[in-house]
Amino acid sequence: MKVHINGIDLAYSDQGQGAPLVLIHAFPLNRAMWEPQVQALATHHRIITVDLRGHGESDAPMWHYTLEQFADDVKALLDHLTISQATFVGLSMGGYTLFALYRKYPERVKALVLADTRAQADTEEGKAGRFAMAQTAYTKGTKAIADLMLPKLLSQASLEKRPDLVDTLRGIIMRNQISGIVGDLMAMAERPDSTSLLKDMTCPTLVVVGQDDIATPPSEAKFMAEKIPHSRLEIIPNAGHAGVPPENWTIEYVRFSST
Ligand code: MLT
């Protein structure tokens, strides 16, 4: 489905019934990354997934992107769907978007799941890395971005033993446009530091991270969980940044986030 808001067509899916759960994807992915979670949770929740501007089936204007704009788009989508409050899940850049959303619209947030993300702004070295990746996107295209990002998104074990997962994520990355990829990189480079916000995040919050995440390692998750007043930390064994938990691993966050 699409809705025209804030000057663009924004693509989203609205599935299931129950307390609303809004899933915000990572860089450089789109809402298709949440397919397994939608399958698992749509029997108990109304699940909204969205292609942030610049991703998937949403418009990707050649213009300045910011995380605050992503948050404004999500809020406008919730207005369109007449959802006054929801539980939000954000993976990595999706987490950065949730910091922007909480800063501006805290009354819309019932509970949060901050997955494999960090509160700090980019370092100068990090910003230089964003600039270099943007140049690669312009000169070598989306495939080069997929080659750079897959080893950051998946653990070494998943890269070696889960070709299905590698292919799925590669396909998702390849469906994004260069304007959106570059827009994300600039938006992330310019994002404010959210460390001082953490103590004011008073909603129930689950901080979750893969044990083998090299992009936003468990130390970042511990840092956030220590500062967010009503938080719980879960470290998923043998999982990377956007990987899958082991078969027998369970977590009670569904019940936690819908109360
Ligand atoms: C992501 O997964 O969204 C990115 O790795 C975030 C980042 O590059 O900071």
Side-chain angles (χ1 to χ4, degrees), residues 25-29 33 91-96 115-118 120 122 130 133 149 152-153 184-185 188-189 191 213 215-216 241-242:
H25 62 76
F27 166 83
L29 304 171
M33 66 157 273
L91 177 70
S92 202
M93 186 182 76
Y96 307 158
D116 299 82
T117 191
R118 65 160 54 87
Q120 293 93 339
D122 278 0
R130 305 279 190 209
M133 193 181 284
M149 285 306 297
K152 293 184 183 167
L153 291 168
D184 282 351
L185 289 162
M188 290 191 285
R191 76 185 189 280
D213 183 350
T216 50
H241 189 59

Side-chain angles (χ1 to χ4, degrees), residues 32-78:
M33 66 157 273
W34 295 116
E35 194 49 42
Q37 287 77 19
V38 173
Q39 294 291 330
L41 300 174
T43 45
H44 297 95
H45 287 272
R46 178 179 181 189
I47 303 191
I48 315 298
T49 56
V50 55
D51 286 346
L52 296 172
R53 62 172 61 213
H55 302 79
E57 296 172 320
S58 288
D59 285 348
M62 293 180 88
W63 194 241
H64 188 212
Y65 288 65
T66 65
L67 292 160
E68 188 178 337
Q69 177 72 76
F70 289 165
D72 287 342
D73 291 344
V74 171
K75 184 258 182 194
L77 174 62
L78 293 192

